[in-house]
Amino acid sequence: QAADSKREQFRQYLEKSGVLDMLTKVLVTLYEEPEKPDSALDFLKHHLGASAPENPEIEALRLEVAETKEKYEAVLEENIKLKTKVKVY
């Protein structure tokens, strides 16, 4: 009976935190897919991950990548200008 009590507490915990609703929604989405994906697990990972809040570290990395791309483009432009100057001399 202790196991049943623990199981029920865990179920209530999952229900309160919204996990059961989220899983149900994703599984219903998978069920309603006209063409089932090759990997149901990948489908679940994608749909569960897409609805999760963005990790601040990921956002910081995206910002860093964007800044690096800008610097790269500036260096490319400078390189072209310098090559042109070298050809002149």
Side-chain angles (χ1 to χ4, degrees), residues 50-64:
S51 62
E54 192 65 39
N55 184 336
E57 290 178 15
I58 293 174
E59 188 55 38
L61 289 172
R62 284 191 178 131
L63 181 60
E64 185 178 340

Side-chain angles (χ1 to χ4, degrees), residues 39-57:
S39 172
L41 185 57
D42 286 343
F43 181 91
L44 292 175
K45 286 179 184 178
H46 173 75
H47 281 78
L48 289 173
S51 62
E54 192 65 39
N55 184 336
E57 290 178 15

